[in-house]
Amino acid sequence: VRMSDKNQAQALQEQLGVGKVIELLEPLDTPDGKIEKLTLRRVKVKDYKRAAEQHPDNAALQQLAALANATGLMQEDFEELCWEDYQQISQFCLGT
């Protein structure tokens, strides 16, 4: 069985430690359909810069915006994550 190019790219990213696919404990219902898995990437400085411009006086919202960007979710959808899913995303994306 041959892996698709996308699966090969994801596998390579995971080996390099720059990407990771996680299965959500509680799937998200979004306007685009149900999301059961997320492909994560590390948060970059530009993510925080953009988040700081959006929420200059709120560190919590800055972090949420940066993490939403690193997961490819809309901020509104990201905010619907259960705490355990949020923690595993935060742990990988922020290294905390």
Side-chain angles (χ1 to χ4, degrees), residues 56-84:
D57 299 322
N58 192 320
L61 289 179
Q62 288 174 13
Q63 181 169 321
L64 290 174
L67 287 171
N69 200 30
T71 61
L73 290 174
M74 300 297 295
Q75 284 186 44
E76 299 80 23
D77 296 329
F78 189 83
E79 292 172 3
E80 293 302 316
L81 288 167
C82 74
W83 190 249
E84 288 173 274

Side-chain angles (χ1 to χ4, degrees), residues 5 9 11 14-15 22 28-30 58-59 65 69-70 76 84 86:
D5 290 340
E14 286 195 34
Q15 288 170 5
I22 63 160
L28 291 174
D29 287 317
T30 72
N58 192 320
N69 200 30
E76 299 80 23
E84 288 173 274
Y86 171 80

Side-chain angles (χ1 to χ4, degrees), residues 3-15:
M3 277 200 283
S4 73
D5 290 340
K6 184 177 180 183
N7 288 342
Q8 286 177 334
Q10 284 178 342
L12 181 60
Q13 285 181 338
E14 286 195 34
Q15 288 170 5

Side-chain angles (χ1 to χ4, degrees), residues 29-48:
D29 287 317
T30 72
D32 295 329
K34 187 173 279 223
I35 297 175
E36 296 179 356
K37 293 182 180 183
L38 287 177
T39 300
L40 310 179
R41 67 166 174 79
R42 304 273 187 207
V43 169
K44 298 185 182 303
V45 172
K46 66 182 175 183
D47 297 320
Y48 262 117

